[in-house]
């Protein structure tokens, strides 16, 4: 039987399947089911700094609304002993998770301000997280902001957190950089021990009845796998950091492809929402079976074997990839129809 | 004496409540101003697990009324508990029956009373002794506290004494003046408390309790043979009580160094003139006595602390032997009595003591009234009393503090007299409720009072409006304890926190020469002068004020605090007032911010810290020019075209000068004109809705939901707009049947509160830019002038004839004039749209019985009322009786109207030969089932009156007096859930059971909104409310189904924001049903913790989740096998959770107690599902007519709920 062990952020994991940051980690019993199903580690749901701040301000606003205005009602809502706003509840949950689970627990932080990142990173470390995943997302809507400035913001954040906590640090980013490879290198230089590729965030949608704009999160599909697949394949061997693939990992086939491209771990959430925590077991079994059937001794052996550096056709991962796909796609059909609707 | 470290800055309510909570096991509570905070604190402390002296957390139980609270206490006392409660005013009166029993049974307990005016010609929430005086025959011991310190100390004396004396104690202090004054007091610590409450006596109390282990009988019925003797048997307890109290006071003095006596005399030991009084007025008289004795006058003050049992001997003994004249001041009025209560006691006591030879001679005694309803009582008034006493024939039964030009009772006052010391910083701060001025000032008092060697006092004056309300804070800081129990009227620091106040208010009137004036100004030091009214400029120059400006709003915006400018201005105050050294002050402000906002999180703290840091950078001194410049003038309180009464009387109140009105200016019986709110142009909105006719779809929703009747709609012939201003907008009214009409949606720019509810509901969006709706909020100042002109013109277009309009439709109802307009309710209020709608539909023929609560306050709190008249002079006739009796009050109106109608019909029949048979028959036969018929009947009655003028018979005069009753009247009983579900439920139930034609409209906010959000039986499970700080554990009462159980009661549950048409239909059907009706209307409230601009969307969510199903139960369907209950809303489409997480009242519990929240949420979901299931089944149930349903004929049957809204114009 193939050895499924893998190393990620310096942690030794039993296999390369890890549930990514999602609400699946909000309940201890679900976390235990994930562990029992074979999850090698777990990334906790993100601590959203903006959300905490928003809640603090809102609670304050509600308590003050109408207060001290009218002689019969000095206030309208009782002042409670504790509002549990701030990261306390998250940290208590993290502590409890760490106590109850045997697998490594990776904290996740989604923040906005520099001060907030560092403060909360320390709190997550103190709560016992084995590693920390920084989830950075920034919509650069300001036309005066250059890409260089945006990139520098990312780098500064990573450096600031790196200098404040010593636990392993993963950085989860989106794919929208002009020079992804360069960005990856700089993130690693700033202190990232691993890169998590890529982020999926709320995307706006328009309700045709109300004409309202509704940011919604749709579950991913296996189709979305290709973007991380490409970049993991490209970055494998080019940056000195662990690589985690996330987005579009639904089946053992998906995971296996990513491992071959060079992922140290594959992370999934949408598939677990669809099929339940036990789906982890199916994926792990699938990987093992494939490795056995194809006579691989271990994950380590397969890891990166089809990366850009290791594959016979490295340009396939770069621009020519498009041409090739087009040709492959159109050949069985009428090329005129296909070329009139190019699909990448 | 205790050290400074134990000083705390608290208000009188907190001072008393902290003792009461420690010394009790069971606390029954019920909200009533100004005592509610005592109950709230007790509840919060118990919810937080704070134990009493015996290490157990007191049980705090909210009852359905004060009557219920007293009953529960009586029971708990009988069963051996240590009990207390807190109340005031009418609440105390409701306790009186039980109080007689409790005293008759010699039961130890203490009731703490924040003494408040009893409602007579008007309700007043403010302070005087009319309530406690009404309770003085109950046999309770009565102990008066005159200061915040005493409120704490004597609370303990009362709890300790009652156990020893066995008499129950009523401990009282003046509502607002003491209950709400924040002052620095020495806290009683637990050791003292422990030592004062004797466990031996507690055990004796328990031994007297009812127990089946040693059974006795109490509460017997006695006969003429023994009742009298038994009543006299308790005498020895009354005889000994004063000594018990004095002994307890002595023990307290030993423990704390603070000494109290039954009667405390201060002043010249050889005084000839002495003023006797009790309560907070003592502070003002004491200061006066000090000033006068320092000037060599022989005056003194005798403070009464133990009013009952009144120990004459101790009273006489406390007076100086030299006394020649005594003035007794009563803070109450007992019309028709030979004198007020304390005066009568003093006269009796002195007469008896003089007769017994214990006084050298009987002094002259005069009595006077002062300070009713918290009327100011200050040293000039106290001096006027001493001056009167010096006269050879002093006026008896005088009044002081008012100008009585009717009965000439008032004393002349020399207003130049002052006792204020120069080393006291006296600040007056004008703020808005929403800007945090009061909370910042409370914090300043704490900063100084609890952390420095200085003493501090804060007192806060609020206005009677809930939206855009002004607050005035009166603060004193000084080196000695502050006993000045009156407003600051010579301020050496004046801060105006809102620039626009200068337009209408004389904020500098209180400034003394050389004072500092801090103005929050959007204009910098170089530009501000030109922007000031010349009246203000003149005061700045003439008084030589030091003038500073700060753009607090800019700073607050920069740091994210929005409208909350308090921290900025508090910092500026400390920088300018010199109370503390600046750096120390800033450090202390920050510590105080940490204490106040710490648990609300880092973000809130950081915003406030940033505000402190940035405040001083923006503070600038203004170089005051030598001359007045410009031509800006302060605006008059009302426009010159206002009616005479409004000009003479209302305007004075609006200008904050009501104190100057003479007795003759006021109505003798509390009767006021309606239609006055329109003259009070408050112009409080920053943004107002602006209409874009090009995309409007004529839906009328904006007008329908406007809580302030500030958006109006009219549909008219184009000719009516012939002379419209150019900016006046209109569009073609889309109506196939009536082409060519125009419609206009018009904002009342000075009456709008800027709540934004109209924009939230507007469904018409621009095709090019969806954020632009047919109605958008825009900066008021950009549109004010134009919209003022438009609104003025709009009012000249007559509304359509009611006969031509389908009243029971959205559009139809909104074409009609609101007869409820511009109320001072909270911006975005969920209640007022229902009343406005009601007034549009039937306002010309309704009598409104209004329960005490929000609706009686925004409906009837002076200076103005939103209830108004139509162009024919008809409109709602409104009255408020009490909180507990509103249904009965309304029933009484119905009975009177019906009786007059019956009498009138009889006379019409009798006088038919004289007035004409045809007319008589027409009058007698018309059922008046619709607007047209009612109109015709009105015309017939007018004709009848004309004809009656010519008839000589006396009966013709009698018929003229009641002829209007021949036109159908509709009685509406309006109140909140506190009334309908709790205190007034028994009466409501009874009135519904009478089968009479009354309509009860319950404005259900699910809490006692007016008193600050206390839980009622309408409060939903899982909501956090006052008195349910840990989340309400049980579900809401199903009032509708209780009423529907009668069978013949029309019942509807409505939510305007969820289904406009269903609400209108329910109102119409209820009005048409000639039996009892009950409409329960979902009313959003700031106590829900929501953004009130989304008020209507929340209602929609409440319905969608099944939390608030819409239904109508129509007794007219109890025939032919039809099902009277119709469910008007669809089965739940979202979970209750989805609705509740958007409201802080539920969300807060999720944060503070996640486990309980999760559990309660599950139950709340089950509640909703169960209710839906039940209603669905009931909707399929046939009912059969019990009794004589046919009497309430078929009039006004509504169309089925699913029927489309029909075209509104015309019928």
């Amino acid at each position: 039987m193939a050895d499924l062990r893998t190393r990620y952020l310096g942690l030794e994991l039993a296999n390369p399947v890890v549930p990514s940051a999602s609400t699946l980690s909000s309940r201890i019993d679900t976390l235990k089911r994930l562990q029992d199903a074979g999850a090698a580690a777990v990334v906790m749901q993100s601590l959203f700094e903006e959300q905490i701040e928003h809640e603090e301000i809102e609670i304050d606003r509600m308590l003050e609304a109408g207060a001290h205005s009218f002689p019969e009602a000095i206030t309208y809502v009782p002042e409670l002993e504790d509002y549990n706003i701030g990261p306390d509840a998250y940290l208590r949950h993290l502590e409890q998770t760490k106590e109850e689970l045997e697998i490594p627990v990776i904290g996740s932080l989604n923040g906005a301000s520099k001060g907030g990142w560092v403060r909360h990173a320390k709190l997550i470390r103190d709560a016992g997280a084995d590693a920390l995943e920084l989830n950075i997302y920034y919509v650069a809507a300001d036309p005066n902001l250059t890409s260089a400035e945006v990139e520098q913001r990312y780098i500064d954040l990573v450096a600031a957190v790196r200098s404040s906590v010593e636990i392993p640090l993963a950085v989860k980013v989106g794919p929208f950089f002009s020079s992804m490879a360069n960005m990856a290198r700089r993130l690693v230089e700033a202190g990232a021990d691993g890169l998590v590729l890529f982020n999926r965030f709320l995307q706006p949608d328009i309700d045709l009845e109300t004409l309202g704009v509704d940011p919604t999160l749709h579950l991913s599909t296996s189709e979305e796998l290709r973007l991380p697949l490409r970049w993991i394949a490209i970055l494998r061997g080019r940056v000195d950091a662990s690589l985690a693939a996330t987005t579009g990992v639904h089946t053992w086939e998906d995971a296996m492809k990513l491992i071959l491209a060079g992922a140290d771990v594959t992370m999934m959430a949408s598939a677990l929402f669809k099929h339940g925590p036990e789906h982890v077991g199916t994926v792990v079994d699938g990987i093992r079976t494939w490795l056995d059937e194809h006579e691989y001794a271990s994950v380590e052996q397969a890891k990166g074997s089809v990366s850009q550096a290791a594959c016979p056709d490295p340009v396939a991962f770069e621009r020519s990839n498009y041409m090739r796909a087009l040709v492959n796609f159109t050949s069985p059909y009428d090329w005129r129809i296909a070329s009139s609707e190019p699909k990448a | 004496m205790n050290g400074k470290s134990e000083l705390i800055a608290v208000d009188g309510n907190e001072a008393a409540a902290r003792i009461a909570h420690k010394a009790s096991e069971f606390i029954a509570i019920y909200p009533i101003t100004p005592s509610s905070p005592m109950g709230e604190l007790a509840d919060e402390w118990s919810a937080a697990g704070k134990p009493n002296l015996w290490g157990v957390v007191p049980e705090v139980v909210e009852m359905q009324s004060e009557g219920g609270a007293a009953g529960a206490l009586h029971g708990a006392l009988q069963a051996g508990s240590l009990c207390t409660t807190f109340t005031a005013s009418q609440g105390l009166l409701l306790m009186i029956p039980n109080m007689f029993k409790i005293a008759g049974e010699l039961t130890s307990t203490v009731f703490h009373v924040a003494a408040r005016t009893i409602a007579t010609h008007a309700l007043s929430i403010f302070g005087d002794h009319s309530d406690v005086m009404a309770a003085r025959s109950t046999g309770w011991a009565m102990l008066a506290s005159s200061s915040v310190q005493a409120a704490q100390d004597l609370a303990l004396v009362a709890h300790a004494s009652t156990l020893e004396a066995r008499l129950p104690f009523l401990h009282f202090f003046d509502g607002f003046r003491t209950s709400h004054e924040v002052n620095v007091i020495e806290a009683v610590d637990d050791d003292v408390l422990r030592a004062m409450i004797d466990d031996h006596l507690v055990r004796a109390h328990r031994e007297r309790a009812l127990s089946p282990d040693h059974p006795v009988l109490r509460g017997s019925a006695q006969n003429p043979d023994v009742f009298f003797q038994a009543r006299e048997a308790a005498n020895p307890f009354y005889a000994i009580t004063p000594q018990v109290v004095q002994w307890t006071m002595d023990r307290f003095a030993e423990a704390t160094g603070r000494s109290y006596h039954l009667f405390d005399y201060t002043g010249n030991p050889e005084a000839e003139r002495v003023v006797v009084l009790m309560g907070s007025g003592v502070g003002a008289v004491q200061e006066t006595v000090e000033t006068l004795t320092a000037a060599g006058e022989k005056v003194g003050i005798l403070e009464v602390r133990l009013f009952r049992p009144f120990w004459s001997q101790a009273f006489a003994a406390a007076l100086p032997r030299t006394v020649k004249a005594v003035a007794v001041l009563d803070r109450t009025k007992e019309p028709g009595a030979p004198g007020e209560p304390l005066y009568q006691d003093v006269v009796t006591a002195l007469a008896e003591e003089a007769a017994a030879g214990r006084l050298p001679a009987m002094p002259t005694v005069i009595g006077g009234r002062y300070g009713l309803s918290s009327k100011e009582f200050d040293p000039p008034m106290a001096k006027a009393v001493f001056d009167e006493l010096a006269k050879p024939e002093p006026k008896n039964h005088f009044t002081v503090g008012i100008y009585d030009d009717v009965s000439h009772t008032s004393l002349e006052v020399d207003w130049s007299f002052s006792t204020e010391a120069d080393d006291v910083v006296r600040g007056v701060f004008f703020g808005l409720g929403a800007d945090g001025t009061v909370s910042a000032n409370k914090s300043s008092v704490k900063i100084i009072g609890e952390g420095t060697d200085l003493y501090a006092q804060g007192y806060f004056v609020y206005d009677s409006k809930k939206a855009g309300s002004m607050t005035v804070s009166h603060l004193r800081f000084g080196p000695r304890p502050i006993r000045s129990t009156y407003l600051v009227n010579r301020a050496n620091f004046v801060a105006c926190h809102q620039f626009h106040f200068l337009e209408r208010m004389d904020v500098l009137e209180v400034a003394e020469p050389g004072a500092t004036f801090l103005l929050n100004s959007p204009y910098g030091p170089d530009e501000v002068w030109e922007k000031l009214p010349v009246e203000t400029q003149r005061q700045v120059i003439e008084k030589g004020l030091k003038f500073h400006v700060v753009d607090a709003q800019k700073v607050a915006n920069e740091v994210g605090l929005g409208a909350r400018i308090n921290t900025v201005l508090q910092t500026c105050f400390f920088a300018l007032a010199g109370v503390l050294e600046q750096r120390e002050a800033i450090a202390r402000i920050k510590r105080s911010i940490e204490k106040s906002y710490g648990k609300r999180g880092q973000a809130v703290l950081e915003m406030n810290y940033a505000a402190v840091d940035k405040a001083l950078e923006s503070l600038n001194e203004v170089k005051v020019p030598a001359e007045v410049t410009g031509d800006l003038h302060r605006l008059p309180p009302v426009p010159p075209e206002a009616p005479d009464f409004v000009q003479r009387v209302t305007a004075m109140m609006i200008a904050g000068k009501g104190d100057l009105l003479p007795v003759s200016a006021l109505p003798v019986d509390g009767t006021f004109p309606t239609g006055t709110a329109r003259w009070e142009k408050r112009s409080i909105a920053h943004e107002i809705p602006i209409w874009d006719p090009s995309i409007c779809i004529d839906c009328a929703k904006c007008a329908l939901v406007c809580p302030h009747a500030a958006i109006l709609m009219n549909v008219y012939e184009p000719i009516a707009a012939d002379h419209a201003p150019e900016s006046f907008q209109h569009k073609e009214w889309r109506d196939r049947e009536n082409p060519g009409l125009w419609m206009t949606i018009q904002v009342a720019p000075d009456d709008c509160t800027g709540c934004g509810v109209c924009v939230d509901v507007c469904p018409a969006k621009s095709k090019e830019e969806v954020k632009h709706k047919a109605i958008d909020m825009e900066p008021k100042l950009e549109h004010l002038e134009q919209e003022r002109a438009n609104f003025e013109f709009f009012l000249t277009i007559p509304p359509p004839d009611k006969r031509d309009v389908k009243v029971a439709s959205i559009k139809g109802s909104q074409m009609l004039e609101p007869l409820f307009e511009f109320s001072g309710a909270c911006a975005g209020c969920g209640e007022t749209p229902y009343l406005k709608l009601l007034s549009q539909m039937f306002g010309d023929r309704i009598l409104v019985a209004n329960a005490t609560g929000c609706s009686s306050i925004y409906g009837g709190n002076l200076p103005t009322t939103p209830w108004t008249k139509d162009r024919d002079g008809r409109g709602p006739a409104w009255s408020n009786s009490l909180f507990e009796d509103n249904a009965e009050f309304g029933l009484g109106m119905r009975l009177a109207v019906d009786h007059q109608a019956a009498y009138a019909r009889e006379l019409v029949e009798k006088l038919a030969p004289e007035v004409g048979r045809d007319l008589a028959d027409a009058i007698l036969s018309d059922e008046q089932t619709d607007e047209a018929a009612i109109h015709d009947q009105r015309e017939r009655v007018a004709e009848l009156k004309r004809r009656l003028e010519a008839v000589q018979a006396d009966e013709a005069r009698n018929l003229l007096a009641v002829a209007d009753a021949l036109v159908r009247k509709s009685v509406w009983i309006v109140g909140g859930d506190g009334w309908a579900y709790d205190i007034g439920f028994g009466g409501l139930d009874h009135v519904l059971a009478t089968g009479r034609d009354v309509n009860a409209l319950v404005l259900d906010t699910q809490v006692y909104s007016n008193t600050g959000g206390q839980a009622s039986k309408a409060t939903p499970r899982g909501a956090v409310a006052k008195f349910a700080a840990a989340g309400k554990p049980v579900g809401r009462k199903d009032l509708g189904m209780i009423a529907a159980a009668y069978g013949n009661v029309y019942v509807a549950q409505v939510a305007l924001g969820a289904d406009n048409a269903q609400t209108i239909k329910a109102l119409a059907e209820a009005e048409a049903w000639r039996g009892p009706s009950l409409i329960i209307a979902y009313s959003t409230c700031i106590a829900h913790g929501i953004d009130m601009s989304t008020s209507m969307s929340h209602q929609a969510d409440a319905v969608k989740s099944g939390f608030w199903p819409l239904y109508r139960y129509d007794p007219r369907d109890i025939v032919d096998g039809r099902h009277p209950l119709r469910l008007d809303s669809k089965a739940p489409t979202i979970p209750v959770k989805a609705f509740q997480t958007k409201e802080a009242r539920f969300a807060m519990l999720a944060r503070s107690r996640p486990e309980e929240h999760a559990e309660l949420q599950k139950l709340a979901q089950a509640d909703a599902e169960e209710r839906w299931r039940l209603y669905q089944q009931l909707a399929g149930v046939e009912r059969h007519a019990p009794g004589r349903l046919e009497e309430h004929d078929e009039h006004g049957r509504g169309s089925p709920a699913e029927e489309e809204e029909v075209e509104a114009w015309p019928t």
Side-chain angles (χ1 to χ4, degrees), chain B residues 480-797:
Chain B
R480 297 168 300 281
I482 294 166
R483 292 174 320 199
S484 306
T485 49
Y486 48 91
L487 302 177
V488 172
N489 49 29
R490 289 156 191 268
N492 43 31
F493 186 93
V494 176
C496 180
H497 290 187
Q498 298 290 335
F499 192 84
H500 69 272
F501 286 169
L502 296 177
E503 277 175 25
R504 289 168 198 271
M505 290 294 302
D506 184 0
V507 301
L508 291 177
E509 191 183 19
V510 294
E512 67 174 17
T516 299
F517 174 37
L518 171 63
L519 177 64
N520 173 24
S521 163
Y523 312 106
D526 301 326
E527 333 146 72
V528 68
W529 189 255
E530 300 292 328
K531 308 285 184 185
L532 301 180
V534 293
E535 292 84 357
T536 307
Q537 291 179 356
R538 191 167 297 123
Q539 285 167 310
V540 172
I541 295 169
E542 286 173 4
K543 294 188 175 188
L545 303 184
K546 296 185 274 291
F547 182 19
H548 299 261
V549 287
V550 59
D551 190 347
Q553 191 58 65
K554 189 165 155 242
V555 178
N557 285 342
E558 279 168 10
V559 302
L561 282 169
R564 298 256 300 285
I565 52 175
N566 52 356
T567 305
V568 180
L569 287 154
Q570 183 185 25
T571 308
C572 293
F573 163 72
F574 275 108
L576 296 174
V579 185
L580 292 177
E581 186 269 321
Q582 192 164 308
R583 200 172 349 162
E584 186 193 351
I586 284 175
R588 285 183 189 278
I589 292 171
K590 287 193 175 171
R591 274 209 294 281
S592 144
I593 288 169
E594 161 75 39
K595 210 170 152 189
S596 309
Y597 302 120
K599 61 181 164 180
R600 298 186 193 173
Q602 195 65 26
V604 177
L605 281 181
E606 278 169 11
M607 286 191 307
N608 280 284
Y609 289 155
V612 173
D613 293 335
K614 288 195 161 194
L616 296 182
E617 294 165 20
S618 311
L619 178 64
N620 290 293
E621 179 154 15
V622 179
K623 201 164 171 295
V624 176
E627 300 282 329
V628 165
T629 51
D631 57 356
L632 267 177
H633 284 273
R634 203 178 289 144
L635 299 170
V638 298
E641 63 272 23
D644 175 63
F645 183 84
V646 173
Q647 294 282 2
R648 282 188 302 111
V649 181
T650 313
M652 289 287 279
M653 291 185 259
I654 292 173
K657 296 186 186 299
D659 282 319
L660 302 180
L661 285 170
V663 172
S664 65
L666 278 307
V668 295
D669 59 357
T671 307
F672 283 83
T674 60
T676 44
R678 63 176 56 184
W679 304 112
E680 191 178 14
K681 294 296 176 199
R682 304 199 304 135
S683 215
I684 58 173
H686 294 296
E687 289 186 322
I688 57 173
I690 297 298
W691 183 49
D692 179 351
S694 71
I695 50 176
C696 178
I697 57 168
D698 304 5
C699 73
K701 279 175 185 285
C702 54
L704 178 70
V705 301
C706 177
H708 309 281
I711 297 186
L712 299 160
M713 180 174 106
N714 205 346
V715 177
Y716 50 89
E717 296 285 349
I719 196 169
D722 266 2
H723 303 288
E726 224 168 273
S727 56
F728 188 75
Q729 306 221 67
H730 74 271
K731 73 180 286 293
E732 209 142 296
W733 176 242
R734 286 196 284 193
D735 182 355
R736 270 163 309 187
E737 309 275 314
N738 293 279
L741 294 172
W742 284 6
M743 76 89 88
T744 294
I745 296 280
Q746 178 62 50
V747 64
D750 290 305
D751 302 296
C752 174
T753 64
C755 72
V757 174
C758 52
V759 176
D760 186 47
V761 300
C762 177
K765 292 171 182 164
S766 155
K767 294 276 182 291
E768 290 76 30
E769 195 183 7
V770 290
K771 71 177 176 188
H772 173 44
K773 290 181 160 188
I775 199 155
D776 280 334
M777 298 305 283
E778 291 184 23
K780 181 179 73 184
L781 291 179
E782 290 173 15
H783 297 272
L784 186 57
E785 214 167 306
Q786 182 175 308
E787 292 305 324
R788 271 182 183 158
N790 291 343
F791 179 55
E792 203 174 308
F793 178 77
F794 181 89
L795 293 178
T796 65
I797 307 176

Side-chain angles (χ1 to χ4, degrees), chain B residues 39 126 196 1004 1053 1101:
Chain B
F126 295 100
M196 291 290 296
D1004 191 340
Q1053 185 155 285
D1101 286 348

